[in-house]
Amino acid sequence: MAAPHLQPPSFLLATLKADCVNKPFVQRCHELETVIEEFPAKELHGIFPWLVESIFGSLDGIIVGWNLRCLQGRTNPTEYSVALDFLDPSGPMMKLVYKLQAEEYRYDFPVSYLPGPVKASIQEQVLPECSLYHNKVQFPSSGGLGLNLALNPFEYYMFYFAISLITQKNSPITHHVSPSNSAYFILVDTYLKCFLPTEGSVLPPPSSNPGGAIPSPTPRSPAVPFTSYGMHHTSLLKRHIAHQPSVNADPASQEIWRSETLLQIFVEMWLHHYSLEMYQKMQSPHVKESFKPTEEHVLVVRLLVKHLHAFSNSLKPEPLSPSAHSHTASPLEEFKRVVIPRFVQQKLYIFLQHCFGHWPLDASFRAVLEMWLSYLQPWRYAPEKPPQSAEPLPRSVSEKWAAFIQENLLMYTKLFVGFLNRALRTDLVSPKNALMVFRVAKVFAQPNLAEMILKGEQLFLEPELVIPHRQHRLFMTPTLGGSFFSSWPPTITDASFKVKSHVYSLEGQDFQYKQMFGAEVRNLVLKLAQLICQAQQTAKSISDHSAETLASQSFFSWFRFTPSDMNGSYTGNDLDEIGQDSIKKTDEYLEKALEYLCQIFKLNEAQLTQMMMKCGTAQDENGKKQLPDCIESEDGLILTPLGRYQIINGLRRFEVQYQGDTELQPIRSYENATLVRLLFRLSSALNQRFADQMEVLCSREDFIGKLCRYHLINPHLAQKTRYIPMSKDRTSHNWGPRISLRFLASYRTLTSLLMIYFIASWFCIGPVGCTFIILFGYFLYAILMTFFSEGWKPHQH
């Protein structure tokens, strides 16, 4: 049958395109529902590709479509409800899909928009191992532009739905949009529950003919055969698909072909962006990243992982007789048994490896982390409920999950090491980063989990028995993406061989396994524990500093304009951003994380106590951090790699202060630049005009002299230079007694003065009285500071 885009446009299609521009969204959906009900499949066949694109957007991302990723019930309740009803598994759109499915129409999908490894494989005329692409590749006729997949309506619809998560990256998304509340996220959840049900069977598709059935897709021969089959004997993929059986070979395929198709499309579009070869190349820092998943993308994948665990765990208990099981188990039950290891495991592992190695070191990694932890805990989605108790205790991981842990060993061990390397490069003072360390430590500290992981490592490290090399090769490239009805590998009962097969299939025969409970990883954990202790001390120091700052904010502190205020760096923004509550959370997260790490790796309490004491001594008597780790040289201090790490992560820093003339230091962010320059000129003019009088006043030994010395001489420079009279040129660049008006350019100073002014005005004192109060208050402050400071002590000239 000819492709849809080769047919002349119909009047119906032209009408619908015009309505799309002129009519509101709700009315268009209602009219589309009427069209789908009343028009025959022959007419609907011509509008189907346009309708799919108008809903999910174009493959190049130019047409946004309905923008389901931004459509939320809180902001657009009417459109949200109508869209979900229209695209529901039992809604008008799926009725159209099944109506066209019954007529066996086909639609072209460009190969160029498939994930990178799939596109490269097909362009090299090598079919991917996933049966989703078998018997669908259409080579272009003379003058054609490229390869296409000939898809049935259900596949075409789901391809567009799944890939819209990737192609619509640049669609306008406002900051208040929550991905988990969007129409797209809800639809993914709805489709998973419908086609991968945890209870009962898959609902039959609605049929326009009473009692009629929608057939499963029939196989099609490619227009041009793949001539590369068998040419290179090293290609296991080619040998695997050379004699792929038809999905209709087994009548049971009628029951779950939509379930298998849906899952394969989701996995291919969302996870299959990195092949094993590409993943190995990506380990090089010189290789440019080809695909960057978004946080929303990861959240949708997590939803898929959680549902697949629930779907797999809903498998009915096996009967006592294995022979009885083979005759009574339904295809859906068999599908549940193999859905994760056969379809998801390999691609998810490579996807996670890439995220762990390339995701930015910020709080957005939390989405990847939670998706990983969801996969590691299938028992959370098991139907049985934990026993209710008065005190909630950590739930022990049952021994029945040992097989899952062993067959997913790298998911636990290698990715844990990857997380350790990330954690060692993050700022653990941040509560969001501290929370991530706490979450991982809490999950791995579940009772009995660490023991089962250790058992899996021991099984992998067991001496290898006499196992033919070809058997290993069988599992180096398993048919994880193949059809559920394709030939199965032989059953293996040896636990050690299962673990080895899992590791070799994901990493290859030459993989050098790094033990999670070995000495090297244990040292990384100790480094993390040390960083946790340092982060706790840093958080405590920030908390103490913040408390002192708050305690010192009094009425008189608004007028304390000393050179130290001008010389110090303004850290108010940082303290305000961290906050006391966040610091408290950070301390709680880190304390519990350290406790969990001790449980997992049996860390020595004495060693930890010594480490914490060492971190505690890093604080001097003023609560300031020690200098970064340095070594002495002829040229002075040189930072070590540890010292550079400490500076980058804010663990330690050099106390750099301005040591020159306070009048000439750079203009601060909390100062008015124009006022600084004007007041500097005014101060210079006053100093030049009254230099002699100030020298005479400062040389007096009575109260007036002490008052002048305190307020007209820079105390920091006076400690170094004693008292140096103003030179003849009488410029402000010298360190003699002088007037400084720069404090008046501070936003904080102006705010304080204006606040007093308005308070006084509120009580009807008036501008004159208010000005008098300000001057009197500052004069009184100056006298008090003279009595209660070092200015009262006699100066020695």
Side-chain angles (χ1 to χ4, degrees):
M1 184 172 294
H5 64 271
L6 298 179
Q7 295 179 348
S10 65
F11 176 76
L12 175 61
L13 179 59
T15 304
L16 292 176
K17 286 184 177 180
D19 291 345
C20 186
V21 177
N22 301 321
K23 294 184 179 180
F25 176 78
V26 176
Q27 183 179 354
R28 282 187 282 128
C29 289
H30 289 315
E31 292 181 356
L32 280 171
E33 183 176 359
T34 304
V35 168
I36 292 171
E37 290 288 344
E38 296 180 354
F39 279 76
K42 184 177 181 180
E43 287 288 337
L44 298 175
H45 164 60
I47 70 167
F48 182 66
W50 167 84
L51 181 57
V52 171
E53 185 175 88
S54 66
I55 294 174
F56 301 122
S58 59
L59 296 175
D60 55 12
I62 297 177
I63 301 175
V64 179
W66 290 4
N67 201 11
L68 297 172
R69 294 168 51 238
C70 297
L71 187 60
Q72 295 201 353
R74 182 170 55 86
T75 55
N76 304 97
T78 304
E79 291 83 354
Y80 174 83
S81 177
V82 171
L84 290 183
D85 290 341
F86 189 84
L87 301 177
D88 190 78
S90 59
M93 192 64 191
M94 292 305 295
K95 290 180 180 178
L96 171 61
V97 169
Y98 295 132
K99 203 171 187 179
L100 298 173
Q101 188 81 28
E103 301 296 331
E104 299 186 6
Y105 286 109
R106 297 282 167 165
Y107 302 92
D108 287 348
F109 187 92
V111 170
S112 59
Y113 288 102
L114 294 175
V118 179
K119 177 175 63 176
S121 177
I122 294 178
Q123 289 175 346
E124 295 174 2
Q125 297 191 1
V126 179
L127 277 178
E129 64 182 18
C130 179
S131 64
L132 185 65
Y133 308 105
H134 297 172
N135 302 322
K136 294 183 177 67
V137 179
Q138 299 291 310
F139 284 85
S141 57
S142 57
L145 297 178
L147 296 171
N148 293 296
L149 296 180
L151 305 176
N152 64 50
F154 184 81
E155 293 168 337
Y156 188 81
Y157 174 83
M158 287 301 172
F159 259 85
Y160 262 87
F161 174 75
I163 207 170
S164 65
L165 180 66
I166 312 299
T167 57
Q168 300 298 319
K169 275 185 181 179
N170 299 323
S171 60
I173 298 180
T174 55
H175 294 289
H176 65 274
V177 171
S178 173
S180 59
N181 294 327
S182 67
Y184 187 88
F185 195 90
I186 300 300
L187 279 174
V188 171
D189 186 51
T190 303
Y191 289 154
L192 289 174
K193 291 177 179 177
C194 176
F195 297 108
L196 299 171
T198 56
E199 296 181 0
S201 59
V202 184
L203 295 177
S207 175
S208 57
N209 300 323
I214 303 299
S216 60
T218 56
R220 285 173 56 91
S221 300
V224 179
F226 277 67
T227 57
S228 60
Y229 284 172
M231 290 180 61
H232 305 285
H233 63 277
T234 57
S235 175
L236 296 180
L237 298 180
K238 297 169 187 173
R239 293 207 303 271
H240 166 63
I241 64 177
H243 302 288
Q244 181 71 28
S246 166
V247 293
N248 282 344
D250 191 333
S253 64
Q254 294 283 347
E255 182 178 344
I256 65 166
W257 71 266
R258 288 174 299 158
S259 304
E260 182 183 357
T261 300
L262 176 85
L263 178 61
Q264 287 183 327
I265 291 175
F266 283 1
V267 171
E268 289 293 304
M269 295 300 105
W270 297 341
L271 296 178
H272 196 186
H273 293 276
Y274 318 101
S275 62
L276 281 173
E277 296 77 10
M278 186 182 299
Y279 158 65
Q280 293 170 355
K281 292 178 182 178
M282 289 299 293
Q283 305 308 303
S284 172
H286 306 291
V287 178
K288 186 178 180 181
E289 187 177 1
S290 58
F291 175 79
K292 298 179 180 180
T294 62
E295 187 174 353
E296 181 187 11
H297 180 178
V298 174
L299 290 174
V300 174
V301 173
R302 187 191 180 206
L303 176 64
L304 173 65
V305 168
K306 292 166 64 176
H307 184 83
L308 289 180
H309 274 319
F311 177 69
S312 179
N313 290 334
S314 65
L315 181 67
K316 297 177 182 178
E318 295 185 8
L320 297 178
S321 172
S323 59
H325 164 74
S326 61
H327 293 288
T328 59
S330 67
L332 186 62
E333 293 297 305
E334 293 293 343
F335 187 55
K336 293 177 180 179
R337 193 183 309 278
V338 299
V339 63
I340 290 180
R342 193 173 179 84
F343 290 91
V344 179
Q345 186 194 66
Q346 184 187 64
K347 294 181 176 65
L348 180 63
Y349 172 74
I350 298 174
F351 182 83
L352 282 171
Q353 278 279 59
H354 180 272
C355 290
F356 273 60
H358 295 82
W359 200 277
L361 290 172
D362 56 22
S364 65
F365 184 72
R366 175 78 186 278
V368 179
L369 188 76
E370 294 298 337
M371 187 252 288
W372 171 51
L373 296 180
S374 294
Y375 184 83
L376 298 186
Q377 303 176 86
W379 46 87
R380 290 185 57 190
Y381 312 100
E384 65 267 14
K385 300 295 182 181
Q388 298 294 332
S389 59
E391 296 182 1
L393 299 175
R395 184 182 177 186
S396 177
V397 180
S398 173
E399 286 291 336
K400 76 174 187 177
W401 301 107
F404 177 88
I405 294 171
Q406 294 166 10
E407 295 170 12
N408 291 271
L409 184 63
L410 291 178
M411 288 283 196
Y412 290 88
T413 58
K414 187 173 182 182
L415 291 181
F416 180 82
V417 176
F419 175 76
L420 281 180
N421 291 324
R422 287 186 61 92
L424 290 172
R425 293 180 290 158
T426 55
D427 178 17
L428 298 184
V429 179
S430 168
K432 295 180 179 179
N433 293 334
L435 174 60
M436 287 191 282
V437 176
F438 163 74
R439 288 283 296 120
V440 174
K442 181 180 179 181
V443 168
F444 279 84
Q446 294 177 85
N448 204 32
L449 178 57
E451 289 76 6
M452 286 193 283
I453 297 175
L454 179 59
K455 176 62 176 178
E457 288 192 324
Q458 292 171 349
L459 290 172
F460 175 75
L461 298 174
E462 281 184 2
E464 192 166 354
L465 302 177
V466 181
I467 300 176
H469 184 67
R470 287 185 61 185
Q471 279 188 298
H472 268 296
R473 292 295 296 176
L474 173 65
F475 289 92
M476 285 184 64
T477 311
T479 59
L480 295 178
S483 172
F484 168 70
F485 299 100
S486 60
S487 57
W488 282 46
T491 304
I492 305 173
T493 57
D494 181 65
S496 176
F497 186 53
K498 283 184 178 181
V499 178
K500 293 176 187 291
S501 300
H502 155 72
V503 174
Y504 294 144
S505 67
L506 296 181
E507 293 288 350
Q509 289 277 12
D510 300 330
F511 176 62
Q512 299 295 323
Y513 183 76
K514 184 183 296 185
Q515 298 181 54
M516 177 175 168
F517 294 96
E520 185 176 352
V521 176
R522 186 181 181 85
N523 289 334
L524 290 178
V525 174
L526 289 174
K527 288 183 180 179
L528 179 60
Q530 184 176 7
L531 285 181
I532 289 175
C533 296
Q534 291 178 352
Q536 287 179 302
Q537 293 292 338
T538 303
K540 183 178 183 300
S541 176
I542 294 175
S543 178
D544 295 342
H545 183 277
S546 178
E548 292 174 0
T549 303
L550 293 174
S552 64
Q553 290 179 352
S554 61
F555 178 82
F556 287 109
S557 66
W558 292 343
F559 295 95
R560 185 167 183 172
F561 310 125
T562 60
S564 61
D565 180 57
M566 303 293 296
N567 197 29
S569 59
Y570 177 58
T571 59
N573 291 334
D574 296 335
L575 292 175
D576 293 340
E577 186 176 317
I578 294 176
Q580 289 292 328
D581 293 339
S582 296
I583 294 174
K584 183 179 180 181
K585 289 182 180 179
T586 297
D587 188 63
E588 292 175 356
Y589 290 146
L590 294 179
E591 184 177 358
K592 294 299 294 184
L594 191 60
E595 178 183 339
Y596 289 138
L597 288 174
C598 293
Q599 296 177 12
I600 298 168
F601 293 93
K602 307 294 189 296
L603 297 182
N604 189 343
E605 293 185 3
Q607 187 177 13
L608 282 177
T609 303
Q610 182 180 3
M611 184 186 305
M612 295 182 69
M613 291 178 61
K614 182 178 179 182
C615 294
T617 57
Q619 309 291 325
D620 59 18
E621 64 275 9
N622 295 323
K624 298 180 180 178
K625 300 173 187 174
Q626 286 184 334
L627 294 179
D629 193 61
C630 304
I631 56 175
E632 293 281 354
S633 68
E634 296 179 355
D635 300 326
L637 296 177
I638 298 178
L639 281 173
T640 64
L642 176 59
R644 287 193 291 271
Y645 170 81
Q646 292 168 338
I647 290 180
I648 292 173
N649 290 275
L651 301 177
R652 296 184 184 181
R653 61 186 175 90
F654 289 103
E655 295 296 336
V656 179
Q657 292 184 349
Y658 185 81
Q659 300 293 333
D661 190 347
T662 57
E663 290 291 291
L664 302 179
Q665 62 180 315
I667 298 175
R668 307 289 174 156
S669 60
Y670 53 85
E671 293 177 323
N672 186 304
T674 303
L675 282 179
V676 168
R677 296 184 178 96
L678 291 177
L679 294 172
F680 173 74
R681 293 183 181 180
L682 178 60
S683 300
S684 299
L686 292 175
N687 292 331
Q688 187 174 8
R689 175 70 178 83
F690 300 105
D692 294 335
Q693 290 87 334
M694 287 189 290
E695 288 182 13
V696 172
L697 289 174
C698 290
S699 62
R700 294 174 58 169
E701 292 298 331
D702 55 3
F703 174 78
I704 299 298
K706 293 179 175 59
L707 179 67
C708 293
R709 281 194 295 272
Y710 179 80
H711 292 283
L712 298 179
I713 297 178
N714 189 322
H716 296 281
L717 299 179
Q719 291 177 1
K720 296 181 179 180
T721 62
R722 299 292 179 174
Y723 168 68
I724 302 177
M726 186 82 70
S727 60
K728 292 182 179 180
D729 59 1
R730 304 181 187 277
T731 62
S732 62
H733 296 269
N734 294 284
W735 296 343
R738 60 186 177 180
I739 296 174
S740 175
L741 299 176
R742 180 167 178 168
F743 68 87
L744 293 175
S746 170
Y747 291 120
R748 290 177 287 179
T749 300
L750 292 175
T751 302
S752 302
L753 294 175
L754 288 174
M755 185 179 299
I756 296 176
Y757 180 85
F758 286 120
I759 291 175
S761 300
W762 179 264
F763 292 102
C764 303
I765 297 177
V768 177
C770 184
T771 304
F772 174 77
I773 288 179
I774 293 175
L775 294 176
F776 178 76
Y778 185 71
F779 177 74
L780 180 62
Y781 164 78
I783 296 177
L784 291 176
M785 291 306 300
T786 304
F787 277 101
F788 300 104
S789 65
E790 295 182 358
W792 179 250
K793 299 176 182 178
H795 284 258
Q796 297 181 8
H797 304 290

